[in-house]
Amino acid sequence: MNEQNGRRGRLLYRFPHIAYLGSFIKWLVLGSIVGVLAGSASALFLHSLDYMTQQRLSHPWLLFLLPVGGALVSYLYMKLGGSSSRGNNLILEGIQKGGETIPLRMAPLVLFGTLVTHLFGGSAGREGTAVQMGGSLAEWFGKMIKIDAVDLRILLMCGISGGFGSVFGTPLAGTIFGLEVIAIGMISYRALIPCFAASFIADVVATHLWSVHHTSYSVDFIPALSVMVLLKVLLASVIFGLTGLCFSELTHFLKRMFTRLIKNPVLKSAVGGLVIIALVYIVGSRDYLGLGIPLITSSLTDGVSPFAFFWKLLFTSITLGSGFQGGEVTPLFVIGSTLGHSLASLLHIYGPFLAALGFIAVFSGATSTPIACFIMGIEIFGSEGALYMFIACIVSYLFSGHTGIYSSQQIGISKSGLLHVDAGASLEDWKQTKKKVRESSKNNE
């Protein structure tokens, strides 16, 4: 056997393109299969989500069942969820460390939980659901074909790319997101081909096989390049990054606060639902429930309330902080686009243009995935404003600091040479380090 392996090794060294071709075919096939699974799951989710949203809009009284819906979802997770309750963080840890089992039941649980959240009016997104379904199906498929631990981690990255690319109709952004989200500042090209295959096939399957229709956006005017416009974009981008930081920190804070004050997860979600209902009547609007896509459309055309970004941020942080299921990315699109339109009047710049930059830049700050967000901007809005989009994403990425919506995301490279971060530390580890430094400083004083 060893002699046979030795002959094969010598043959591959003499003709390395045989190895390249074998690897290409292997990952093209495996990535495509994960893409079919993730794309089909996303299609089921998106069609169901559209139905639930229409039911909520047609029957306003459903909002009053939000506490019951939240309690039901939390009860199911408490009884059946197990490690599934860790959501996207569980998938990230499975890729980073290996050995983390992603249960197949995560897919139906997060699907049901997110649909219930949207049916009754919770403010949440959809990326988390698609990524978790893609990840759990990818792991199930990997276990079925008995691949090794290293290849299984690549399949999990394919699940992230397939879920993300198909749920937003952005296969290129989905590819890079699956590579970029694992560790801040580092991208592994080993998974480039399988992640692209998964994201591309998932988008094709969802769009063409299952007839999913994605909302289209456009900007009809891009300002000419000038020093003044660049300065305004830079200032807005800093604010976008700080807003991404604020959203992440507030959501994590509310999760800790709700858990500390209300130990029972069922009661915690019920109370969160009551808070959302109260907020609806305090604000006097239901615009901030659900995905909030009409707010994006308005920010790219007619305009929105100056504080729409704040209310959407608050509604979403409370919804997710109290234990409801759903993603963060679509609400981040809403927060960014409405904030951009609000800043435009202060900076005296075209509103829809700055709204489009906010759309991708706040997302970049909250996830520390600037390249994926830049590519998403091109896929959604076209390449005419590519320079501005790139500036917005990288500046927002920097000023959001070492924080984000995924607490298990690793810090591959510090965002500043002046800050030392241990290699492989997670965002949660960094938060604890800062806490210890602050406590030490107080004791020394």
Side-chain angles (χ1 to χ4, degrees):
M1 181 64 70
N2 290 334
E3 184 179 347
Q4 182 180 7
N5 289 337
R7 286 200 301 268
R8 185 175 64 180
R10 288 192 294 271
L11 176 65
L12 292 178
Y13 272 101
R14 289 183 61 193
F15 304 101
H17 281 80
I18 296 176
Y20 304 151
L21 178 62
S23 181
F24 177 76
I25 293 174
K26 169 187 173 180
W27 285 115
L28 190 65
V29 171
L30 294 181
S32 297
I33 293 173
V34 172
V36 171
L37 295 173
S40 298
S42 290
L44 172 63
F45 169 53
L46 291 175
H47 283 307
S48 302
L49 183 59
D50 286 342
Y51 176 78
M52 294 299 183
T53 300
Q54 289 302 319
Q55 292 301 308
R56 174 175 60 81
L57 295 175
S58 301
H59 304 93
W61 56 267
L62 286 172
L63 174 65
F64 299 103
L65 295 179
L66 183 60
V68 178
L72 172 61
V73 171
S74 291
Y75 178 79
L76 289 176
Y77 266 87
M78 185 173 66
K79 294 296 183 181
L80 305 174
S83 60
S84 299
S85 60
R86 290 158 62 195
N88 290 343
N89 288 313
L90 180 64
I91 297 175
L92 292 180
E93 290 167 13
I95 296 169
Q96 295 160 357
K97 306 171 186 176
E100 290 285 345
T101 300
I102 316 297
L104 182 60
R105 63 179 177 273
M106 173 184 275
L109 276 173
V110 73
L111 173 64
F112 177 78
T114 305
L115 292 178
V116 168
T117 297
H118 283 277
L119 174 64
F120 298 125
S123 176
R126 48 193 173 174
E127 131 281 339
T129 306
V131 165
Q132 289 175 51
M133 289 194 298
S136 61
L137 290 170
E139 167 127 341
W140 169 79
F141 170 64
K143 294 289 180 64
M144 287 284 290
I145 61 175
K146 296 181 171 59
I147 62 173
D148 61 36
V150 174
D151 286 353
L152 183 59
R153 291 160 73 176
I154 294 177
L155 276 191
L156 286 176
M157 295 172 73
C158 292
I160 292 177
S161 290
F164 191 96
S166 59
V167 83
F168 294 120
T170 54
L172 297 182
T175 300
I176 303 303
F177 184 79
L179 303 173
E180 196 176 17
V181 73
I182 311 303
I184 294 174
M186 298 181 68
I187 296 179
S188 171
Y189 288 127
R190 180 172 186 173
L192 181 59
I193 289 175
C195 282
F196 172 71
S199 186
F200 175 73
I201 295 298
D203 180 55
V204 169
V205 166
T207 304
H208 297 287
L209 181 61
W210 300 115
S211 302
V212 167
H213 300 288
H214 300 285
T215 306
S216 60
Y217 306 105
S218 62
V219 179
D220 56 7
F221 173 74
I222 305 295
L225 186 63
S226 69
V227 173
M228 187 56 65
V229 171
L230 280 176
L231 289 175
K232 291 177 180 180
V233 168
L234 282 171
L235 177 58
S237 300
V238 172
I239 298 173
F240 293 147
L242 295 175
T243 302
L245 183 154
C246 178
F247 174 82
S248 301
E249 290 297 293
L250 179 60
T251 303
H252 293 318
F253 169 77
L254 289 175
K255 285 181 179 180
R256 293 193 302 270
M257 187 190 72
F258 272 111
T259 301
R260 185 164 55 245
L261 296 178
I262 307 172
K263 303 298 183 183
N264 187 306
V266 176
L267 181 59
K268 177 178 68 175
S269 295
V271 170
L274 291 173
V275 174
I276 292 296
I277 294 173
L279 268 180
V280 167
Y281 286 92
I282 291 172
V283 178
S285 172
R286 297 191 177 209
D287 292 346
Y288 309 108
L289 302 177
L291 292 173
I293 288 178
L295 288 171
I296 299 177
T297 304
S298 297
S299 68
L300 294 169
T301 52
D302 304 327
V304 291
S305 165
F307 295 102
F309 74 93
F310 170 77
W311 291 119
K312 185 60 178 177
L313 189 154
L314 186 61
F315 270 76
T316 306
S317 292
I318 292 173
T319 298
L320 299 177
S322 59
F324 284 86
Q325 293 299 310
E328 299 93 344
V329 172
T330 302
L332 287 169
F333 293 160
V334 178
I335 294 165
S337 58
T338 52
L339 173 60
H341 203 288
S342 298
L343 289 175
S345 60
L346 299 176
L347 298 175
H348 302 289
I349 196 169
Y350 186 52
F353 162 70
L354 206 57
L357 296 187
F359 181 105
I360 55 173
V362 173
F363 171 35
S364 174
T367 58
S368 290
T369 55
I371 307 304
C373 295
F374 166 64
I375 293 175
M376 171 175 269
I378 292 177
E379 287 186 291
I380 292 176
F381 299 109
S383 61
E384 187 178 354
L387 177 63
Y388 296 122
M389 288 188 278
F390 191 72
I391 291 171
C393 288
I394 61 176
V395 172
S396 176
Y397 158 82
L398 176 63
F399 280 88
S400 65
H402 296 114
T403 186
I405 56 179
Y406 309 126
S407 59
S408 292
Q409 189 177 27
Q410 289 182 338
I411 304 173
I413 297 175
S414 174
K415 293 186 181 182
S416 171
L418 301 176
L419 289 173
H420 171 74
V421 180
D422 293 332
S426 68
L427 294 181
E428 182 61 32
D429 294 334
W430 171 249
K431 185 179 296 184
Q432 295 303 318
T433 298
K434 290 193 299 180
K435 182 179 179 181
K436 291 177 182 177
V437 170
R438 285 195 299 268
E439 291 175 351
S440 177
S441 298
K442 288 180 181 178
N443 292 334
N444 292 334
E445 292 173 359

